[in-house]
């Protein structure tokens, strides 16, 4: 109780000292404010950058803990994958191929599905020639290429279920792939940003043919499905991509190309039966070529983020030290003016420890008030940044202020209060009682 009473007395008297010297306290808070705000900005920036980077990686690769199964191409591989993951909620199969959307009989503006920023910059079609000795090289194709026109090549991804549980895509327009009901003979496509941009820049008729312009597999004579675009998502991929139900894709995929398609399974760690079941369906030859990989993006990029955060912390600490020096300067000047008052308190029996606590309480309260002002400024600043720059910077939209930054600001304010008030507190405690005779 004695310690509690002394602590209470120190806080009360310290608060009275702050109220009696408002202007001096305000000036010391200004010098400390910038340092605490720098610590908050560094912590908030590192947390938000960490979230944004992980979010982009999750959209492209998958959430941490997701198990990615790469399935080798071969006869019956696609059928085995579809049978294994059918009606499962903890695993999704992906069947990737190329497709050309637009006018038939033309070379797409982006052969090979390259990003649209490089559209119309591709070189002549290449063909691979291998000698009897096994040496292969590429040279321009002797066939005259088809003229380019209103056609775009996309990566067509057939999925067996909602892939967003593993790769959190952001729906930007329309709706996502609907897996209810029977498959449609008119494939329902969900485009990513790059593919949606192609429909904006070019007048593309609703006609699609399976195959790549580079591989020469887009046979103009093959059946041409009429796709329907039902939505747009952000998937972090710079290549034009369209997502479709796998069973709707299989309605039009030539049987001769089934064995050469790229296939992947995304599943949760609890889906332990997928691997053995798939191996048994593939047989010993293909089953032994399955490759399992667990996503651990946070661990992989954590060291890089930590290094950058500590570098910025060092810079923020330098700014914070300036604020500490300001509090120290004000504290020493205040002690010089209060020598008679503190000596009188010693003369009437106030312990040295309580005198030091009174001085230290003032600087601690000053640090806490400054930290609170800096945290409020950080919250308001982040909201203002999202309001004014959210349209051009989607990562700033609906961003919550990270609690880690608030905690870092309070800790920085307390540390600054202790460092700035420790030496004045020691000096106050060592004032001799005889000093009261000056009055």
């Amino acid at each position: 109780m004695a310690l509690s009473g002394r602590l209470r007395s120190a806080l009360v008297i310290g608060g009275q000292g702050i109220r009696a010297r408002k202007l001096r306290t305000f000036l010391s808070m200004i010098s400390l404010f910038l340092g605490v705000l720098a610590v908050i900005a560094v912590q908030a920036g590192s947390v938000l950058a960490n979230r944004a980077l992980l979010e982009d990686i999750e959209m492209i690769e998958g959430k941490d803990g997701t198990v990615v199964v790469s399935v080798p191409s071969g006869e019956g591989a696609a059928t085995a994958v579809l049978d294994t993951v059918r009606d499962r909620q903890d695993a999704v199969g992906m069947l990737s191929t190329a497709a050309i959307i637009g006018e038939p009989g033309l070379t797409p503006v982006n052969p090979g599905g390259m990003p649209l920023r490089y559209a119309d910059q591709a070189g002549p079609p290449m063909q691979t020639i291998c000698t009897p000795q096994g040496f292969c090289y590429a040279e321009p194709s002797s066939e005259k290429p088809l003229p380019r026109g209103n056609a775009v090549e996309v990566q067509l991804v057939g999925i067996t279920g909602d892939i967003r549980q593993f790769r959190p895509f952001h729906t930007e327009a329309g709706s996502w792939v609907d897996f209810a009901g029977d498959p449609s003979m008119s494939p329902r496509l969900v485009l990513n940003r790059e593919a949606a941009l192609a429909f904006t820049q070019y007048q593309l008729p609703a006609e699609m043919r399976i195959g790549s312009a580079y591989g020469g597999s887009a046979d103009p004579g093959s059946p041409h499905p009429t796709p329907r675009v039902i939505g747009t998502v952000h998937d972090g991929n710079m290549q034009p991509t369209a997502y479709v139900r796998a069973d709707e894709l299989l309605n039009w995929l030539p049987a001769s190309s089934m064995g050469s398609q790229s296939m992947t399974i995304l599943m949760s760690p609890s889906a332990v039966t997928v691997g053995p079941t798939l191996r048994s369906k593939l047989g010993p030859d293909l089953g032994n070529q399955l490759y399992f990989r667990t996503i651990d993006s946070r661990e992989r990029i954590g060291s890089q983020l930590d290094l950058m955060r500590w570098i910025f912390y060092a810079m923020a600490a330098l700014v914070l030290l300036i604020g500490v020096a300001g509090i120290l300067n004000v504290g020493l000047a205040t002690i010089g003016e209060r020598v008679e008052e503190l000596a009188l308190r010693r003369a009437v029996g106030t312990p040295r420890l309580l005198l030091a606590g009174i001085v230290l309480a003032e600087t601690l309260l000053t640090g806490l008030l400054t930290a609170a002002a800096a945290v409020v400024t950080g919250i308001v600043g982040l909201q203002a940044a999202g309001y004014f720059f959210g349209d051009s910077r989607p990562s700033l939209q609906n961003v919550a202020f990270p609690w880690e930054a608030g905690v870092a600001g309070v800790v920085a304010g307390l540390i600054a209060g202790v460092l700035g008030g420790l030496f004045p507190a020691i000096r106050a405690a060592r004032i001799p009682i005889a000093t009261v005779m000056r009055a």
Side-chain angles (χ1 to χ4, degrees):
M1 291 298 294
L3 180 60
S4 176
R6 290 182 180 181
L7 178 60
R8 188 185 309 111
S9 299
L11 292 175
V12 171
I13 299 174
Q16 292 173 349
I18 291 176
R19 188 171 57 180
R21 290 174 289 276
K22 299 184 181 66
L23 180 60
R24 183 169 293 179
T25 301
F26 177 73
L27 294 176
S28 62
M29 288 179 62
I30 291 179
S31 61
L32 181 60
F33 176 80
L34 295 177
V36 176
L37 187 61
V39 173
I40 293 175
V42 170
Q43 180 64 32
S46 63
V47 171
L48 296 178
N50 193 352
R51 291 178 185 174
L53 184 56
L54 285 176
E55 185 178 351
D56 290 340
I57 295 177
E58 287 176 350
M59 283 192 295
I60 298 175
E61 296 187 3
K63 295 180 179 179
D64 274 12
T66 301
V67 180
V68 181
V69 185
S70 299
V71 183
S73 58
E75 188 67 29
T79 302
V81 170
L82 297 177
D83 291 342
T84 301
V85 301
R86 181 176 289 115
D87 299 328
R88 294 192 67 118
Q89 301 298 322
D90 54 0
V92 174
M94 300 170 55
L95 181 66
S96 299
T97 187
I100 299 176
I101 301 177
E103 297 182 14
L106 297 175
T107 300
V109 296
N110 62 331
M114 66 179 65
L116 293 180
R117 68 180 67 179
Y118 306 116
D120 297 318
Q121 299 180 19
M126 305 295 290
Q127 61 181 357
T128 302
I129 300 177
C130 296
T131 64
Q133 292 77 21
F135 176 74
C136 298
Y137 60 94
E139 66 177 18
S141 176
S142 58
E143 298 181 2
K144 183 178 180 181
L146 296 173
R148 294 187 181 181
N150 289 329
V152 173
E153 183 169 338
V154 301
Q155 181 186 19
L156 192 60
V157 181
I159 51 180
T160 61
D162 193 350
I163 196 177
R164 295 176 299 175
Q165 59 180 310
F166 303 110
R167 295 172 60 185
F169 299 158
H170 299 312
T171 303
E172 298 185 333
S175 60
W176 178 244
V177 179
D178 184 10
F179 294 92
D182 296 329
S184 172
M185 292 302 294
S186 176
R188 292 165 291 185
L189 305 182
V190 175
L191 309 178
N192 70 346
R193 282 182 178 178
E194 192 74 4
L197 181 62
F199 277 78
T200 302
Q201 293 182 351
Y202 306 96
Q203 296 181 354
L204 303 178
E207 187 167 348
M208 181 173 68
R209 54 196 186 277
I210 308 297
S212 173
Y214 271 156
S217 57
D219 183 8
S222 62
H224 292 185
T226 302
R228 291 178 292 160
V229 177
I230 61 173
T232 304
V233 297
H234 175 43
D235 63 352
N237 192 359
M238 297 303 298
Q239 182 181 9
T241 306
Y243 299 90
V244 63
R245 282 178 52 164
D247 47 9
E248 293 182 357
L249 174 60
L250 294 177
N251 286 334
W252 299 93
L253 195 64
S256 58
S257 65
M258 286 288 292
S260 61
Q261 301 303 321
S262 173
M263 289 160 293
T264 305
I265 295 178
L266 301 180
M267 64 182 189
S268 64
S270 60
V272 294
T273 61
V274 171
T277 303
L278 185 58
R279 281 195 178 96
S280 64
K281 293 181 179 295
L282 291 175
D285 293 337
L286 295 179
N288 292 330
Q289 300 180 37
L290 290 176
Y291 177 69
F292 293 80
R293 177 174 62 93
T294 302
I295 303 296
D296 56 352
S297 303
R298 188 179 300 274
E299 180 179 353
R300 177 164 52 86
I301 68 173
S303 59
Q304 303 175 8
L305 293 174
D306 290 341
L307 176 61
M308 294 300 299
R309 181 166 61 245
W310 284 114
I311 291 175
F312 284 105
Y313 267 145
M315 299 171 61
L318 294 177
V319 182
L320 186 62
L321 286 177
I322 298 176
V324 172
I327 291 182
L328 179 61
N329 187 28
V330 172
L332 291 175
T334 303
I335 294 298
E337 296 176 357
R338 300 174 62 189
V339 170
E340 289 81 3
E341 173 199 342
L342 298 174
L344 181 60
R345 289 182 182 275
R346 280 285 294 124
V348 297
T350 303
R352 294 181 183 272
L353 184 60
L354 181 55
L355 283 180
I358 292 172
V359 176
L360 194 58
E362 290 188 20
T363 58
L364 283 176
L365 290 174
T366 301
L368 282 176
L369 291 175
T370 305
V375 170
V376 172
T377 302
I379 295 175
V380 174
L382 185 60
Q383 295 297 324
Y387 179 79
F388 290 106
F389 305 106
D391 294 337
S392 58
R393 300 286 183 179
S395 59
L396 294 176
Q397 295 178 355
N398 301 321
V399 177
F401 184 78
W403 63 267
E404 298 95 331
V407 173
V410 173
V411 171
L414 290 175
I415 292 176
V418 171
L419 294 178
L422 186 59
F423 187 70
I426 295 174
R427 184 174 178 180
R430 297 177 64 181
I431 293 176
I433 297 177
T435 311
V436 74
M437 301 303 297
R438 296 178 184 177

